[in-house]
Amino acid sequence: MKTFEEINEKIKSGRAVVLTAQEVKELASKDGIKEVAKKVDVVTTATFGAMCSSGAFLNFGHADPPIKMSKIWLNDVPAYGGIAAVDAYIGATEQSESEGINYGGAHVIEDLVAGKKIKIKAISKGTDCYPRREFEGFIDKNSINQAILFNPRNAYQNYNAATNTSDKILYTYMGTLLPNCGNVNYSTTGELSPLMNDPYLRTIGVGTRIFLGGAVGYVAWEGTQHNPMQERAENGVPIGGGATLALIGDLKNMSTEFLRAAVVKGYGVTLYVGVGIPIPVLDEEMARFVSVRDEEIFTNIIDYAVPSRSRPVLRRVSYAELKSGSVTLMGRKVPTAPLSSFSKSLKIAEILKSWIKEGKFLLQEPVQHLPLDRHFLPLNETKGEL
Amino acid sequence: MQKIKILDSKCINCGVCTALCPTGALVLDKITWELKFSEIKCINCFACEASCPLGAIKK
Ligand code: SF4
Ligand code: SF4
């Protein structure tokens, strides 16, 4: 048994044994789980994937005369202005009013991180205290007070894989799906992904310090659509969408290497977010969790041709099979492709490892655990009151 | 003839383009997980071009 405090003491004195998720799995298959528990203090896990449920709170400061901005556009992308006078939330998936799908909130966020100038336009009805009715100008990350990345749902614990049984191409948030099961796309990094390595969130909760977009960030809360009651495999890892995290961090310190705008053809704008989470190996159970392999992590291949929220499952598949480059589906070999970047995830795990080894990054024990009893509720059409 | 180009500065090596390539000209390296493009195998069908969310594949 080790505590967070003991591990932090080791980090401070440069004695902590820190391995990436990839390295710990190799150690476990060579020396076994007991050795992992004995030798390893921290495992760095990571993912770099499209996370639509992302965005940033911005505070612009006051103009003279001041304005209570009610409608706001940043490079022609609408930002939400229904909070105070000069606060706004720019959502990643919002699209430009002039450029449509080619430029959106995610691009505004990436341009802000890159230090580029952003055109701001705001309108207001005007009040006695905020008389101004229009404002046009330019901002950048240094001219505004706060730029806080606050992503309501990131780091999905697991997610379905997608295919298409119809005879038409489908353009989905899971990428382009070719007709007649021409391909299978999947979205998580499997055994590298943070929440696959701590399936019951024993060490990840409110206040956990993480790598977010190239800077230090924190777990703020459970993410939206948090679904810990999902069916689980024997090793505890959910099969399909499970837990999620709401993440927060200072956008001004982030890097475009780990925060990237993207356009998914026929679907829309999204933000690729780099997330790295350190997992302390507190005991043998945690050692077993962080040693999980792609062979033991499963998801369902879902048919996106069915326009329903309960799409049919075509088969269950392991991440080892998905990552091999093809799966057998209805007796045929079908090519697979990931939506997340493994190479960037490996890089994030290495960077986080070096931060910890250099003593720059200490582990934060959760100040509150995330709930394990939430269900994912549907939205039903109801006539009249509930 | 127009040929495709992978812009390294934009490519994040996600690999989502690989399943759309009919000739195996785009593959992910199983060790580094980086995208490998083989000009010899490419038939310039451009099936991959629009599939790249990062705009890293250009004619
Ligand atoms: S142009 Fe066609 S053959 Fe060439 S890499 Fe793209 S999909 Fe493959
Ligand atoms: S889809 Fe684009 S970003 Fe992803 S690997 Fe292919 S070229 Fe690179």
Side-chain angles (χ1 to χ4, degrees):
Chain A
M1 275 289 280
K2 283 173 237 161
T3 64
F4 274 80
E5 291 76 37
E6 284 161 3
I7 293 176
N8 278 337
E9 284 311 315
K10 281 176 136 184
I11 294 173
K12 283 185 214 161
S13 63
R15 287 180 298 120
V17 177
V18 188
L19 297 186
T20 65
Q22 202 183 26
E23 291 165 340
V24 81
K25 288 160 210 302
E26 282 156 23
L27 179 71
S29 30
K30 203 159 56 79
D31 294 349
I33 283 163
K34 278 197 192 328
E35 280 304 295
V36 170
K38 239 194 273 163
K39 284 188 189 153
V40 185
D41 297 307
V42 185
V43 174
T44 58
T45 62
T47 184
F48 185 77
M51 305 194 196
C52 286
S53 185
S54 296
F57 285 104
L58 309 174
N59 178 286
F60 306 115
H62 288 290
D64 194 16
I67 177 171
K68 183 175 180 294
M69 300 175 175
S70 61
K71 290 208 183 313
I72 303 162
W73 293 264
L74 298 170
N75 284 350
D76 230 9
V77 180
Y80 181 68
I83 28 175
V86 291
D87 283 331
Y89 186 77
I90 179 77
T93 62
E94 189 73 53
Q95 294 179 11
S96 156
E97 290 190 346
S98 51
E99 289 186 51
I101 195 174
N102 297 320
Y103 189 93
H107 297 86
V108 172
I109 291 169
E110 185 183 326
D111 284 347
L112 267 174
V113 172
K116 292 187 185 162
K117 293 236 174 294
I118 308 281
K119 188 168 183 234
I120 176 171
K121 185 180 154 201
I123 55 171
S124 165
K125 287 206 170 85
T127 67
D128 290 345
C129 45
Y130 291 107
R132 191 171 190 141
R133 290 171 178 233
E134 265 185 37
F135 181 87
E136 275 194 42
F138 287 88
I139 56 153
D140 65 31
K141 68 174 172 186
N142 298 312
S143 76
I144 60 178
N145 289 302
Q146 279 77 27
I148 305 163
L149 189 75
F150 184 80
N151 301 342
R153 181 173 65 258
N154 280 179
Y156 241 122
Q157 190 164 26
N158 196 351
Y159 206 78
N160 299 321
T163 194
N164 166 22
T165 58
S166 80
D167 54 12
K168 289 194 316 261
I169 288 193
L170 295 180
Y171 298 103
T172 74
Y173 64 88
M174 292 293 287
T176 301
L177 300 176
L178 300 173
N180 307 313
C181 298
N183 61 339
V184 170
N185 284 353
Y186 60 103
S187 78
T188 92
T189 53
E191 65 182 23
L192 302 175
S193 188
L195 303 190
M196 300 283 197
N197 288 280
D198 186 2
Y200 295 102
L201 309 173
R202 270 190 64 201
T203 68
I204 302 169
V206 178
T208 297
R209 187 175 295 117
I210 61 167
F211 172 110
L212 180 61
V216 171
Y218 292 87
V219 174
W221 206 249
E222 70 188 74
T224 54
Q225 295 181 195
H226 180 59
N227 187 20
M229 301 287 275
Q230 176 67 270
E231 179 192 359
R232 290 176 191 265
E234 236 174 78
N235 56 16
V237 177
I239 301 165
T244 68
L245 302 175
L247 304 180
I248 192 164
D250 190 344
L251 190 73
K252 292 187 182 189
N253 297 333
M254 293 182 190
S255 138
T256 55
E257 199 187 341
F258 301 109
L259 219 49
R260 264 315 168 77
V263 177
V264 180
K265 185 178 160 68
Y267 168 71
V269 177
T270 186
L271 186 67
Y272 271 78
V273 182
V275 179
I277 303 191
I279 298 183
V281 183
L282 300 175
D283 51 29
E284 226 174 279
E285 185 184 52
M286 287 311 300
R288 179 163 62 78
F289 287 153
V290 295
S291 302
V292 71
R293 298 306 309 241
D294 282 329
E295 289 77 11
E296 312 159 274
I297 306 177
F298 295 90
T299 192
N300 291 321
I301 302 178
I302 302 280
D303 182 8
Y304 274 63
V306 178
S308 158
R309 75 177 170 217
S310 346
R311 297 189 170 109
V313 174
L314 298 185
R315 65 161 284 208
R316 188 158 283 184
V317 65
S318 76
Y319 275 85
E321 191 176 348
L322 286 169
K323 288 187 186 177
S324 75
S326 64
V327 295
T328 309
L329 201 55
M330 302 198 265
R332 270 197 311 126
K333 213 170 135 191
V334 176
T336 59
L339 297 163
S340 299
S341 169
F342 302 149
S343 73
K344 285 246 187 217
S345 305
L346 294 170
K347 194 163 179 192
I348 293 168
E350 284 292 349
I351 294 172
L352 185 54
K353 175 179 161 178
S354 68
W355 287 356
I356 299 170
K357 282 186 82 85
E358 287 160 26
K360 290 198 292 200
F361 185 108
L362 295 179
L363 305 192
Q364 174 61 53
E365 187 167 4
V367 293
Q368 180 176 305
H369 284 286
L370 300 181
L372 288 176
D373 59 354
R374 289 270 192 282
H375 285 288
F376 181 24
L377 302 173
L379 173 64
N380 293 321
E381 282 171 62
T382 49
K383 295 203 169 63
E385 286 174 25
L386 286 169
Chain B
M1 193 175 87
Q2 278 190 316
K3 287 188 171 174
I4 67 143
K5 260 202 294 283
I6 312 286
L7 308 178
D8 286 348
S9 60
K10 292 200 171 176
C11 176
I12 57 162
N13 296 300
C14 64
V16 75
C17 53
T18 58
L20 299 185
C21 176
T23 66
L26 291 167
V27 288
L28 278 178
D29 181 286
K30 290 283 157 54
I31 307 280
T32 63
W33 294 105
E34 282 175 2
L35 182 71
K36 296 272 174 267
F37 170 55
S38 157
E39 228 179 288
I40 296 166
K41 286 190 184 165
C42 177
I43 53 167
N44 292 299
C45 68
F46 306 121
C48 56
E49 191 195 2
S51 75
C52 174
L54 282 294
I57 305 180
K58 291 281 177 234
K59 275 184 195 165

